[in-house]
Amino acid sequence: EAGVAQSPRYKIIEKRQSVAFWCNPISGHATLYWYQQILGQGPKLLIQFQNNGVVDDSQLPKDRFSAERLKGVDSTLKIQPAKLEDSAVYLCASSSLGLANEQYFGPGTRLTVT
Amino acid sequence: SQQGEEDPQALSIQEGENATMNCSYKTSINNLQWYRQNSGRGLVHLILIRSNEREKHSGRLRVTLDTSKKSSSLLITASRAADTASYFCATDANFGNEKLTFGTGTRLTIIP
């Protein structure tokens, strides 16, 4: 089966600019996650969707970050405006209900904010 | 916030030796999972152990879980150069939404 797809793989922007990331989960996976991974740290959950509904966005900086999953399949994560501290790898993962939350990760998007 | 803390932060061993890394966590859990991350890549699921299990094996991997001490260990036997990666534990803390909280990771280097 195809894995989780993400694009772009790399992005460099200046602070105060906007950026958007795209994720296509594994077919049939109801749950989709966006993580932020700062260099040298573990992934931190930003937002979790189940189908097209938000399950958890408690750690999403909502003043600048937004995410949507309109048709319950692919998803976009947007940052507007970006700050220097947003430099990180943004990982998308998906999982299938009833499989104890084993998550499948995409390759990530490395964002550098200058 | 990080739920788990891996120990050590970095580990270098000779190829063929065994590698052990530990994870401590703070709250009660449904299950604990270990993931591997190669440099510049996404995470790959390795093994899941449920809160009512004490030990689990998968190929060269052995995971233990001690819920009384809120700790887990991952043993990789007969290490290979391809095992060089970062290893993260992740806990499902029984909040009802299957949210995983990742630790800080152990950077493992296998010296050929």
Side-chain angles (χ1 to χ4, degrees):
Chain A
E1 65 182 3
V4 176
Q6 288 188 248
S7 68
R9 290 296 311 277
Y10 305 92
K11 190 75 176 178
I12 301 174
I13 62 172
E14 296 181 352
K15 60 184 179 183
R16 292 186 290 273
Q17 287 187 324
S18 303
V19 65
F21 312 125
W22 174 82
C23 172
N24 191 12
I26 291 173
S27 178
H29 280 192
T31 310
L32 184 148
Y33 313 81
W34 282 102
Y35 290 90
Q36 180 193 59
Q37 186 177 24
I38 293 172
L39 186 65
Q41 298 182 18
K44 182 185 83 170
L45 180 69
L46 293 175
I47 189 167
Q48 176 184 348
F49 292 95
Q50 187 165 308
N51 297 310
N52 60 350
V54 175
V55 174
D56 187 331
D57 64 356
S58 57
Q59 297 191 91
L60 186 74
K62 298 179 185 67
D63 58 334
R64 298 184 301 106
F65 286 64
S66 64
E68 60 183 12
R69 193 184 184 199
L70 292 176
K71 296 182 179 179
V73 180
D74 56 353
S75 175
T76 56
L77 175 69
K78 297 179 182 177
I79 308 175
Q80 180 179 12
K83 293 184 176 181
L84 296 176
E85 58 260 37
D86 298 331
S87 293
V89 175
Y90 291 84
L91 295 163
C92 179
S94 67
S95 67
S96 178
L97 291 176
L99 289 182
N101 201 28
E102 175 182 334
Q103 296 184 17
Y104 294 81
F105 282 79
T109 296
R110 181 176 298 277
L111 174 67
T112 302
V113 182
T114 63
Chain B
S1 62
Q2 306 278 181
Q3 153 83 307
E5 294 284 338
E6 280 91 339
D7 170 52
Q9 290 187 351
L11 178 63
S12 293
I13 61 172
Q14 295 288 334
E15 190 169 17
E17 293 181 339
N18 296 340
T20 299
M21 52 206 89
N22 304 294
C23 168
S24 60
Y25 56 92
K26 299 173 184 174
T27 65
S28 61
I29 60 171
N30 271 335
N31 64 66
L32 184 145
Q33 304 178 34
W34 285 90
Y35 286 79
R36 182 187 73 229
Q37 185 177 35
N38 292 89
S39 181
R41 303 285 186 89
L43 282 78
V44 174
H45 181 268
L46 295 176
I47 195 166
L48 178 152
I49 186 164
R50 299 181 189 278
S51 60
N52 62 352
E53 298 176 311
R54 292 296 167 259
E55 186 171 315
K56 203 161 184 181
H57 296 256
S58 177
R60 294 184 296 112
L61 305 180
R62 172 178 171 259
V63 170
T64 63
L65 179 64
D66 186 335
T67 52
S68 66
K69 295 181 179 178
K70 291 187 171 59
S71 67
S72 174
S73 67
L74 171 67
L75 168 68
I76 304 173
T77 60
S79 63
R80 305 168 181 169
D83 295 329
T84 294
S86 292
Y87 292 81
F88 295 90
C89 67
T91 51
D92 178 348
N94 197 23
F95 295 139
N97 63 1
E98 300 184 324
K99 169 182 172 179
L100 286 183
T101 304
F102 285 82
T104 51
T106 292
R107 174 68 190 171
L108 175 64
T109 301
I110 307 300
I111 303 166

